[in-house]
Amino acid sequence: MASTQPEIAFDFSPMLIVYKDGKVNRLTGNDIVAPSLDPKTNVDSKDVVYSPENSLSVRLYIPRNVTQSQKLPLLVYFHGGGFCIESPFSPHYHNYINSLAAKANIVVVSVQYRRAPESHLPCAYEDSWKALEWVASHVNGSGPEDWLNSHADFEKVFFSGDSAGANIAHRMGIKHGMEKLEGVQVEGIVLCHPYFWGNEAVGNEASDAKSRKFIETLWRFTYPETTGCDDPWINPVVDPDLSKLSCRRVLVFVAEKDLLCSRGWYYHQKLKEIGWGGDVEVFETKGEGHVFHLFNPACDNAEAMLKKTAAFYNTN
């Protein structure tokens, strides 16, 4: 008797499986939580549509203790997930942003973007820029969302993300350097365990051929039109526009047991080598793996990472 199981086209377990009939089975990152006032952090949140044509929203966060005329630093955050799983509405991201908004006393815009394989790259980059244009529409206090009109300080704007979201945050910094968002001053960018890669192994990457193959195959899966792993979109150190990164400060978090760790250090090294005009710092967490802070937020290392991040947003 013939099997009725569909044939697998791509198996990216534990992230997702894609079948030859086109079905996509996301194995994780599917849970969502509603926006609400979080009693633990006293941070309020709500969802606002920024791209009706693609049914995309941002989740806004604001500390409830903000006064009527108080302006706070503004963080635009891009979630991770290899460009193919997760969302701003997942419990991991919702809880993390609540804690970060409270610790740093900032306004946060957490961006939803289209994901592969239904929408291959560069869709995620295009959506993220559109979200930034929507954010920038509030510069003069006349945008559609009152929280941003009243409380976002557009002279203290930050971009951040983890993994693939860190890749997006970097790309948005480059794009802002080339196509300025009028009235928006990007003070800094925080990259948490950034998803960067390259054809030539750096650091300890050569020791794990299986993981290298996974990363390279995933990149080509999410971006079929890519030139490969030395595409500037995945390997920023070969990008001729790297010096156009538009902010004053960059903080890169890496984790010792993360295969992407060496890439974060290499990115830091390259910014220094090319004479980029800002300040760049790396913070390495020993004994931890990729995005550990999202999955184990109560551990000491995650607390230290949160404290370091909040201090970055509050440093003049």
Side-chain angles (χ1 to χ4, degrees), residues 28 278-279:
T28 188
D279 296 321

Side-chain angles (χ1 to χ4, degrees), residues 138-157:
H138 298 80
V139 163
N140 295 320
S142 56
E145 179 44 55
D146 186 58
W147 284 5
L148 298 182
N149 288 332
S150 300
H151 300 295
D153 185 347
F154 285 95
E155 293 185 359
K156 293 181 181 177
V157 176

